[in-house]
Amino acid sequence: GAGVSQSPSNKVTEKGKDVELRCDPISGHTALYWYRQSLGQGLEFLIYFQGNSAPDKSGLPSDRFSAERTGGSVSTLTIQRTQQEDSAVYLCASTSTSSYNEQFFGPGTRLTVL
Amino acid sequence: AQTVTQSQPEMSVQEAETVTLSCTYDTSESNYYLFWYKQPPSRQMILVIRQEAYKQQNATENRFSVNFQKAAKSFSLKISDSQLGDTAMYFCAFMSWGAQKLVFGQGTRLTINP
């Protein structure tokens, strides 16, 4: 079946602009995660959605970052007023209750802020 | 907060050799999960192997096995009969029981030479 997909694959933007990154999880997966992978910080958790529960936003680095998940499926990560330190690969993952805690990752979006 | 440490930033071995990647973690919890993920140049994170902390038996998946030492908080990955396709970044990751989010180590870049 189809895996986790993310779009765009690459995004180049200018400092101060807003960007939206999209994640399509595996069909039927109830949990969705966003992680950030950067040279300086490694792989870090950003936000977690589980069904209709309130998301765990504890990893979001600032109030410029937000995410939503519509209809329990597609998720959008929005970064407002981008800064150069936001440059990173943003990874999305999903999982189901039957997958024994294995998170299935998408290919990521490489964001470059000029 | 949990931390995961991978002390080998880079490793290189010849094809068909056996290689062991190290990982240590810090937690005060008794129930948790440990994972090794592989990230090839395509950026797609792939689960290699997982270990539940309550299981004393070390997990194995074909050529991949772990040495889980709970008291020492150590979780090393052994790759036997290494293949060119094993070339990738390898990340050790920790997940608390019920917490869902992964805490990653800094990664080990493994190169298999022909």
Side-chain angles (χ1 to χ4, degrees):
Chain A
V4 177
S5 61
Q6 293 186 245
S7 60
S9 178
N10 292 282
K11 175 73 175 178
V12 180
T13 190
E14 294 179 346
K15 178 181 173 181
K17 295 284 181 68
D18 297 351
V19 296
E20 287 188 350
L21 312 180
R22 177 187 169 105
C23 172
D24 282 272
I26 294 172
S27 177
H29 279 195
T30 56
L32 186 147
Y33 311 78
W34 284 97
Y35 294 89
R36 179 168 71 174
Q37 185 173 20
S38 59
L39 284 176
Q41 302 299 321
L43 264 161
E44 49 183 347
F45 164 80
L46 296 177
I47 189 169
Y48 157 58
F49 296 89
Q50 172 64 61
N52 295 321
S53 302
D56 177 353
K57 304 179 182 180
S58 61
L60 294 179
S62 78
D63 58 7
R64 296 186 296 104
F65 288 72
S66 63
E68 63 178 20
R69 189 178 185 193
T70 53
S73 181
V74 172
S75 177
T76 303
L77 177 68
T78 301
I79 309 173
Q80 296 179 311
R81 305 181 301 282
T82 52
Q83 304 295 312
Q84 288 184 332
E85 61 262 30
D86 299 334
S87 295
V89 174
Y90 290 82
L91 294 170
C92 176
S94 69
T95 190
S96 70
T97 53
S98 62
S99 62
Y100 300 99
N101 292 301
E102 176 180 357
Q103 294 186 15
F104 295 82
F105 283 82
T109 294
R110 181 178 296 280
L111 175 65
T112 303
V113 182
L114 301 176
Chain B
Q2 291 84 8
T3 58
V4 178
T5 302
Q6 295 179 246
S7 59
Q8 304 149 313
E10 294 190 30
M11 297 188 71
S12 179
V13 298
Q14 296 299 118
E15 193 175 7
E17 289 184 346
T18 294
V19 60
T20 299
L21 309 182
S22 300
C23 172
T24 58
Y25 57 94
D26 187 26
T27 184
S28 58
E29 300 178 13
S30 57
N31 291 322
Y32 49 86
Y33 305 92
L34 294 164
F35 305 84
W36 279 98
Y37 275 89
K38 167 185 177 181
Q39 186 180 41
S42 66
R43 293 201 311 240
Q44 189 97 34
M45 296 276 281
I46 303 165
L47 178 67
V48 175
I49 199 165
R50 99 188 89 217
Q51 176 81 41
E52 291 86 352
Y54 64 85
K55 291 185 177 179
Q56 292 186 337
Q57 186 172 6
N58 289 323
T60 62
E61 288 286 342
N62 300 312
R63 298 183 294 108
F64 300 87
S65 62
V66 298
N67 183 4
F68 174 47
Q69 301 290 327
K70 191 173 184 179
K73 297 179 183 175
S74 171
F75 184 61
S76 61
L77 173 69
K78 185 172 83 171
I79 306 174
S80 303
D81 186 27
S82 57
Q83 301 175 358
L84 297 179
D86 296 333
T87 293
M89 282 288 289
Y90 286 80
F91 292 94
C92 180
F94 174 99
M95 178 189 290
S96 297
W97 191 277
Q100 300 302 319
K101 59 188 176 187
L102 291 166
V103 177
F104 288 93
Q106 290 296 93
T108 296
R109 183 177 302 280
L110 176 64
T111 302
I112 309 299
N113 299 305

